[in-house]
Amino acid sequence: MYYEEIEAFCEKYDKTEKQFAFRAETISQHEEWRQRARERLREISGIVMCEPTNADYRQIEKISREGYVEEYWLMDTEPKIVMPFYLLRPDLPNGAAVLIPHGHGGGKETSLNGLNGLAAHLAQNGFFVFCPDERGCGERRERFQQGDSDSAKRSNSHRELLQIAVGFGQSVIGLAVWDLMRLIDFAQTIPQIRRDAIGCVGMSGGGFQTLWLSALDQRIHSAVTSGYFYGMRDSLVRMSNNCACNFVPFMWQTMDMGDMGAMIAPRPLFIESGREDPLNGHRGLDNVREQLAVTQKAYALYGAEKNLIHKIHPNGHMWVGDGVTDFLFQTLCR
């Protein structure tokens, strides 16, 4: 006999008021709510606890590719915290840049070589592309996950980092978003990149980072999240075996994923969902559509419904990317 507790937590979730749920009825109300919501998310995720440091960007090596140069960099994001990243520098810049945070199962090489070759394709067509290692992944794995075997390279240290960070009032996603914000700082030092032409694209855990970053940082003009947009009750509370990076203290009392999408309005947002993606939860796409409806209300306030795109593919938890390249060109290039 087993006496489980997940259902009790689900009932508790249902009874918990979302203090920062989207309820605005005017643009001014939306803007005021968004500012308060950002402050709350920065607080509960621990971003406010991150420590600024003097900007130190070091290029380590570069390789010429067809249409762009692949550069390997290190940068300090906090004192004694180093983030490696790839920068793809196009031969013929179009003024736009895209950050591609990776998902689970690898590090920055996943962004560099995965997503059906998106990074190289964008660079060959004029985009600056940034592919960083998230905390606890790639070259940022802690000693327990380090090694060169395939299984070690696919592992991450998110559980270990969360167990430490929570004692400081921080979270893995808060640390990751802080790092991405510092990467935007670096992107803005490159003269060929327009400040109103920076996008972010991610799948799965990369979509998670994209959603949070875009909600919290107005400098992201255009966002694509794939495999990560659904109601938290079904997909994170009921499915509590998800990676530790998903969990933030007080999140269930704060808002749901559709509310985070509403924070991005009216900026262009592309959401990709897999019809058979198990992370949608036991109710499938109904769990996605409920959250999408909340986000749609925010875009409607601005008359910007065309800026919110939802594409559904027939597969599981995977990147398809149909229409993403056109979306980035249309929203970032002018």
Side-chain angles (χ1 to χ4, degrees):
M1 181 68 70
Y2 296 94
Y3 303 94
E4 299 179 351
E5 300 185 23
I6 297 300
E7 290 303 321
F9 275 114
C10 287
E11 290 185 13
K12 187 173 184 178
Y13 185 94
D14 293 338
K15 294 184 292 185
T16 300
E17 180 185 359
K18 306 298 182 292
Q19 298 169 350
F20 290 84
F22 171 71
R23 301 184 182 93
E25 296 181 358
T26 66
I27 291 176
S28 61
Q29 288 177 357
H30 175 262
E31 292 174 347
E32 188 273 335
W33 163 80
R34 178 168 54 196
Q35 181 59 39
R36 291 189 297 108
R38 281 182 180 149
E39 292 171 359
R40 181 56 174 163
L41 289 178
R42 285 172 56 87
E43 179 183 22
I44 66 174
S45 66
I47 290 176
V48 294
M49 300 291 292
C50 291
E51 300 179 49
T53 188
N54 292 330
D56 185 9
Y57 315 116
R58 288 104 58 199
Q59 184 185 121
I60 306 303
E61 63 182 14
K62 61 181 181 179
I63 302 172
S64 293
R65 304 290 190 188
E66 183 179 352
Y68 63 94
V69 176
E70 177 187 305
E71 302 174 356
Y72 173 71
W73 288 73
L74 299 176
M75 68 176 292
D76 297 335
T77 60
E78 290 191 86
K80 297 186 177 180
I81 303 295
V82 178
M83 178 173 67
F85 65 94
Y86 289 111
L87 164 58
L88 307 188
R89 190 182 297 270
D91 293 347
L92 299 172
N94 63 20
V98 174
L99 281 61
I100 309 182
H102 62 81
H104 297 95
K108 58 190 175 300
E109 287 76 17
T110 306
S111 298
L112 185 69
N113 303 315
L115 301 185
N116 299 334
L118 178 66
H121 178 71
L122 291 176
Q124 289 167 345
N125 285 276
F127 289 81
F128 286 82
V129 181
F130 297 84
C131 302
D133 270 338
E134 184 188 8
R135 297 218 192 184
C137 300
E139 292 183 277
R140 306 179 78 182
R141 287 170 287 157
E142 299 298 321
R143 66 176 66 93
F144 311 104
Q145 287 79 34
Q146 291 171 3
D148 295 327
S149 67
D150 288 342
S151 61
K153 289 179 179 178
R154 289 194 299 270
S155 67
N156 65 63
S157 305
H158 287 168
R159 180 175 65 87
E160 289 79 2
L161 290 180
L162 182 65
Q163 290 176 169
I164 298 170
V166 70
F168 292 100
Q170 295 186 286
S171 65
V172 175
I173 187 59
L175 300 174
V177 170
W178 170 269
D179 288 352
L180 291 173
M181 289 175 171
R182 304 291 69 79
L183 195 56
I184 297 174
D185 293 343
F186 173 68
Q188 291 187 332
T189 69
I190 299 175
Q192 297 94 332
I193 296 176
R194 301 196 324 274
R195 290 188 171 232
D196 64 347
I198 299 176
C200 191
V201 177
M203 160 68 193
S204 189
F208 178 32
Q209 295 175 67
T210 296
L211 184 65
W212 271 76
L213 177 67
S214 303
L216 292 178
D217 198 321
Q218 287 274 108
R219 295 177 297 175
I220 293 298
H221 179 76
S222 180
V224 178
T225 179
S226 173
Y228 203 96
F229 198 88
Y230 33 64
M232 295 180 184
R233 179 192 189 275
D234 288 0
S235 296
L236 295 179
V237 178
R238 184 179 291 275
M239 299 171 66
S240 59
N241 58 327
N242 270 300
C243 180
C245 68
N246 290 277
F247 300 98
V248 175
F250 302 106
M251 192 67 203
W252 315 145
Q253 299 173 349
T254 301
M255 64 172 58
D256 210 330
M257 211 165 288
D259 305 307
M260 295 194 73
M263 292 175 68
I264 300 172
R267 289 169 289 153
L269 173 61
F270 187 112
I271 299 168
E272 180 179 76
S273 301
R275 188 178 303 279
E276 301 301 323
D277 189 344
L279 293 189
N280 293 333
H282 67 286
R283 294 187 300 121
L285 288 176
D286 286 345
N287 190 36
V288 175
R289 293 189 177 105
E290 286 176 359
Q291 299 305 310
L292 183 66
V294 175
T295 302
Q296 287 171 331
K297 291 178 182 178
Y299 279 81
L301 284 180
Y302 293 84
E305 293 91 340
K306 64 178 175 45
N307 284 354
L308 178 62
I309 297 172
H310 184 217
K311 285 286 186 75
I312 301 171
H313 62 72
N315 306 304
H317 190 65
M318 62 178 291
W319 168 271
V320 172
D322 183 30
V324 167
T325 301
D326 289 343
F327 173 80
L328 293 173
F329 272 101
Q330 292 166 6
T331 58
L332 295 176
C333 301
R334 56 177 67 87

PDB file of all heavy atoms in Angstrom, residues 230-247:
ATOM      1  N   TYR A 230       2.070  25.557 -21.153  1.00  0.00           N
ATOM      2  CA  TYR A 230       0.954  24.743 -20.673  1.00  0.00           C
ATOM      3  C   TYR A 230       0.639  25.121 -19.238  1.00  0.00           C
ATOM      4  O   TYR A 230       1.408  25.839 -18.575  1.00  0.00           O
ATOM      5  CB  TYR A 230       1.289  23.253 -20.745  1.00  0.00           C
ATOM      6  CG  TYR A 230       2.743  22.914 -20.500  1.00  0.00           C
ATOM      7  CD1 TYR A 230       3.353  23.172 -19.268  1.00  0.00           C
ATOM      8  CD2 TYR A 230       3.532  22.350 -21.498  1.00  0.00           C
ATOM      9  CE1 TYR A 230       4.691  22.871 -19.043  1.00  0.00           C
ATOM     10  CE2 TYR A 230       4.863  22.050 -21.279  1.00  0.00           C
ATOM     11  CZ  TYR A 230       5.433  22.311 -20.047  1.00  0.00           C
ATOM     12  OH  TYR A 230       6.758  22.020 -19.827  1.00  0.00           O
ATOM     13  N   GLY A 231      -0.509  24.669 -18.729  1.00  0.00           N
ATOM     14  CA  GLY A 231      -0.885  24.943 -17.353  1.00  0.00           C
ATOM     15  C   GLY A 231       0.031  24.245 -16.370  1.00  0.00           C
ATOM     16  O   GLY A 231       0.350  23.061 -16.521  1.00  0.00           O
ATOM     17  N   MET A 232       0.440  24.968 -15.353  1.00  0.00           N
ATOM     18  CA  MET A 232       1.417  24.426 -14.403  1.00  0.00           C
ATOM     19  C   MET A 232       0.846  23.303 -13.539  1.00  0.00           C
ATOM     20  O   MET A 232       1.576  22.389 -13.146  1.00  0.00           O
ATOM     21  CB  MET A 232       1.947  25.556 -13.519  1.00  0.00           C
ATOM     22  CG  MET A 232       2.743  26.599 -14.284  1.00  0.00           C
ATOM     23  SD  MET A 232       3.353  27.912 -13.189  1.00  0.00           S
ATOM     24  CE  MET A 232       4.128  29.005 -14.397  1.00  0.00           C
ATOM     25  N   ARG A 233      -0.445  23.344 -13.243  1.00  0.00           N
ATOM     26  CA  ARG A 233      -1.025  22.309 -12.388  1.00  0.00           C
ATOM     27  C   ARG A 233      -0.823  20.925 -12.980  1.00  0.00           C
ATOM     28  O   ARG A 233      -0.332  20.008 -12.325  1.00  0.00           O
ATOM     29  CB  ARG A 233      -2.524  22.571 -12.191  1.00  0.00           C
ATOM     30  CG  ARG A 233      -3.224  21.527 -11.323  1.00  0.00           C
ATOM     31  CD  ARG A 233      -4.743  21.704 -11.422  1.00  0.00           C
ATOM     32  NE  ARG A 233      -5.459  20.890 -10.472  1.00  0.00           N
ATOM     33  CZ  ARG A 233      -5.803  19.619 -10.657  1.00  0.00           C
ATOM     34  NH1 ARG A 233      -5.420  18.998 -11.776  1.00  0.00           N
ATOM     35  NH2 ARG A 233      -6.490  18.955  -9.746  1.00  0.00           N
ATOM     36  N   ASP A 234      -1.216  20.755 -14.248  1.00  0.00           N
ATOM     37  CA  ASP A 234      -1.130  19.440 -14.884  1.00  0.00           C
ATOM     38  C   ASP A 234       0.304  19.052 -15.223  1.00  0.00           C
ATOM     39  O   ASP A 234       0.671  17.874 -15.153  1.00  0.00           O
ATOM     40  CB  ASP A 234      -1.960  19.418 -16.172  1.00  0.00           C
ATOM     41  CG  ASP A 234      -3.454  19.426 -15.895  1.00  0.00           C
ATOM     42  OD1 ASP A 234      -3.853  19.458 -14.712  1.00  0.00           O
ATOM     43  OD2 ASP A 234      -4.227  19.424 -16.870  1.00  0.00           O
ATOM     44  N   SER A 235       1.111  20.034 -15.608  1.00  0.00           N
ATOM     45  CA  SER A 235       2.421  19.722 -16.189  1.00  0.00           C
ATOM     46  C   SER A 235       3.585  19.848 -15.219  1.00  0.00           C
ATOM     47  O   SER A 235       4.667  19.333 -15.499  1.00  0.00           O
ATOM     48  CB  SER A 235       2.672  20.634 -17.397  1.00  0.00           C
ATOM     49  OG  SER A 235       1.719  20.380 -18.416  1.00  0.00           O
ATOM     50  N   LEU A 236       3.384  20.526 -14.086  1.00  0.00           N
ATOM     51  CA  LEU A 236       4.481  20.663 -13.127  1.00  0.00           C
ATOM     52  C   LEU A 236       4.110  20.176 -11.734  1.00  0.00           C
ATOM     53  O   LEU A 236       4.926  19.520 -11.076  1.00  0.00           O
ATOM     54  CB  LEU A 236       4.942  22.129 -13.061  1.00  0.00           C
ATOM     55  CG  LEU A 236       5.561  22.677 -14.349  1.00  0.00           C
ATOM     56  CD1 LEU A 236       5.951  24.136 -14.179  1.00  0.00           C
ATOM     57  CD2 LEU A 236       6.770  21.861 -14.780  1.00  0.00           C
ATOM     58  N   VAL A 237       2.897  20.471 -11.268  1.00  0.00           N
ATOM     59  CA  VAL A 237       2.502  19.981  -9.946  1.00  0.00           C
ATOM     60  C   VAL A 237       2.196  18.495 -10.018  1.00  0.00           C
ATOM     61  O   VAL A 237       2.784  17.682  -9.293  1.00  0.00           O
ATOM     62  CB  VAL A 237       1.285  20.766  -9.416  1.00  0.00           C
ATOM     63  CG1 VAL A 237       0.857  20.222  -8.048  1.00  0.00           C
ATOM     64  CG2 VAL A 237       1.615  22.248  -9.306  1.00  0.00           C
ATOM     65  N   ARG A 238       1.294  18.117 -10.916  1.00  0.00           N
ATOM     66  CA  ARG A 238       0.962  16.695 -11.049  1.00  0.00           C
ATOM     67  C   ARG A 238       2.169  15.905 -11.568  1.00  0.00           C
ATOM     68  O   ARG A 238       2.384  14.760 -11.162  1.00  0.00           O
ATOM     69  CB  ARG A 238      -0.223  16.513 -12.002  1.00  0.00           C
ATOM     70  CG  ARG A 238      -0.699  15.084 -12.129  1.00  0.00           C
ATOM     71  CD  ARG A 238      -1.890  14.997 -13.068  1.00  0.00           C
ATOM     72  NE  ARG A 238      -3.070  15.614 -12.517  1.00  0.00           N
ATOM     73  CZ  ARG A 238      -3.926  15.016 -11.693  1.00  0.00           C
ATOM     74  NH1 ARG A 238      -3.700  13.767 -11.311  1.00  0.00           N
ATOM     75  NH2 ARG A 238      -4.991  15.640 -11.261  1.00  0.00           N
ATOM     76  N   MET A 239       2.970  16.505 -12.448  1.00  0.00           N
ATOM     77  CA  MET A 239       4.149  15.827 -13.003  1.00  0.00           C
ATOM     78  C   MET A 239       5.396  16.365 -12.288  1.00  0.00           C
ATOM     79  O   MET A 239       6.265  17.000 -12.876  1.00  0.00           O
ATOM     80  CB  MET A 239       4.211  16.057 -14.510  1.00  0.00           C
ATOM     81  CG  MET A 239       2.999  15.503 -15.242  1.00  0.00           C
ATOM     82  SD  MET A 239       2.920  15.991 -16.983  1.00  0.00           S
ATOM     83  CE  MET A 239       4.353  15.134 -17.626  1.00  0.00           C
ATOM     84  N   SER A 240       5.467  16.075 -11.001  1.00  0.00           N
ATOM     85  CA  SER A 240       6.517  16.651 -10.160  1.00  0.00           C
ATOM     86  C   SER A 240       7.893  16.034 -10.387  1.00  0.00           C
ATOM     87  O   SER A 240       8.869  16.466  -9.777  1.00  0.00           O
ATOM     88  CB  SER A 240       6.143  16.495  -8.682  1.00  0.00           C
ATOM     89  OG  SER A 240       5.963  15.124  -8.363  1.00  0.00           O
ATOM     90  N   ASN A 241       7.966  15.042 -11.278  1.00  0.00           N
ATOM     91  CA  ASN A 241       9.261  14.434 -11.612  1.00  0.00           C
ATOM     92  C   ASN A 241       9.993  15.210 -12.696  1.00  0.00           C
ATOM     93  O   ASN A 241      11.057  14.795 -13.146  1.00  0.00           O
ATOM     94  CB  ASN A 241       9.068  12.984 -12.064  1.00  0.00           C
ATOM     95  CG  ASN A 241       8.139  12.858 -13.261  1.00  0.00           C
ATOM     96  OD1 ASN A 241       7.202  13.640 -13.398  1.00  0.00           O
ATOM     97  ND2 ASN A 241       8.374  11.871 -14.109  1.00  0.00           N
ATOM     98  N   ASN A 242       9.439  16.353 -13.120  1.00  0.00           N
ATOM     99  CA  ASN A 242      10.149  17.204 -14.076  1.00  0.00           C
ATOM    100  C   ASN A 242      11.428  17.741 -13.449  1.00  0.00           C
ATOM    101  O   ASN A 242      11.607  17.733 -12.227  1.00  0.00           O
ATOM    102  CB  ASN A 242       9.247  18.368 -14.513  1.00  0.00           C
ATOM    103  CG  ASN A 242       8.420  18.030 -15.736  1.00  0.00           C
ATOM    104  OD1 ASN A 242       8.956  17.719 -16.789  1.00  0.00           O
ATOM    105  ND2 ASN A 242       7.101  18.080 -15.595  1.00  0.00           N
ATOM    106  N   CYS A 243      12.324  18.256 -14.287  1.00  0.00           N
ATOM    107  CA  CYS A 243      13.617  18.742 -13.817  1.00  0.00           C
ATOM    108  C   CYS A 243      13.448  19.816 -12.743  1.00  0.00           C
ATOM    109  O   CYS A 243      12.522  20.634 -12.784  1.00  0.00           O
ATOM    110  CB  CYS A 243      14.417  19.306 -14.996  1.00  0.00           C
ATOM    111  SG  CYS A 243      16.046  19.950 -14.521  1.00  0.00           S
ATOM    112  N   ALA A 244      14.370  19.837 -11.805  1.00  0.00           N
ATOM    113  CA  ALA A 244      14.332  20.780 -10.692  1.00  0.00           C
ATOM    114  C   ALA A 244      14.356  22.228 -11.145  1.00  0.00           C
ATOM    115  O   ALA A 244      13.909  23.120 -10.411  1.00  0.00           O
ATOM    116  CB  ALA A 244      15.511  20.512  -9.747  1.00  0.00           C
ATOM    117  N   CYS A 245      14.849  22.482 -12.357  1.00  0.00           N
ATOM    118  CA  CYS A 245      14.931  23.869 -12.830  1.00  0.00           C
ATOM    119  C   CYS A 245      13.564  24.505 -12.997  1.00  0.00           C
ATOM    120  O   CYS A 245      13.433  25.732 -13.049  1.00  0.00           O
ATOM    121  CB  CYS A 245      15.713  23.946 -14.139  1.00  0.00           C
ATOM    122  SG  CYS A 245      14.890  23.170 -15.551  1.00  0.00           S
ATOM    123  N   ASN A 246      12.497  23.680 -13.071  1.00  0.00           N
ATOM    124  CA  ASN A 246      11.152  24.201 -13.292  1.00  0.00           C
ATOM    125  C   ASN A 246      10.517  24.821 -12.052  1.00  0.00           C
ATOM    126  O   ASN A 246       9.493  25.505 -12.160  1.00  0.00           O
ATOM    127  CB  ASN A 246      10.223  23.068 -13.755  1.00  0.00           C
ATOM    128  CG  ASN A 246      10.522  22.582 -15.155  1.00  0.00           C
ATOM    129  OD1 ASN A 246      10.077  23.166 -16.127  1.00  0.00           O
ATOM    130  ND2 ASN A 246      11.281  21.498 -15.265  1.00  0.00           N
ATOM    131  N   PHE A 247      11.098  24.606 -10.902  1.00  0.00           N
ATOM    132  CA  PHE A 247      10.382  24.894  -9.665  1.00  0.00           C
ATOM    133  C   PHE A 247      10.935  26.129  -8.958  1.00  0.00           C
ATOM    134  O   PHE A 247      12.139  26.260  -8.745  1.00  0.00           O
ATOM    135  CB  PHE A 247      10.403  23.668  -8.765  1.00  0.00           C
ATOM    136  CG  PHE A 247       9.754  22.477  -9.427  1.00  0.00           C
ATOM    137  CD1 PHE A 247      10.508  21.509 -10.064  1.00  0.00           C
ATOM    138  CD2 PHE A 247       8.368  22.376  -9.476  1.00  0.00           C
ATOM    139  CE1 PHE A 247       9.904  20.440 -10.716  1.00  0.00           C
ATOM    140  CE2 PHE A 247       7.759  21.313 -10.122  1.00  0.00           C
ATOM    141  CZ  PHE A 247       8.520  20.342 -10.740  1.00  0.00           C
TER     142      PHE A 247
END
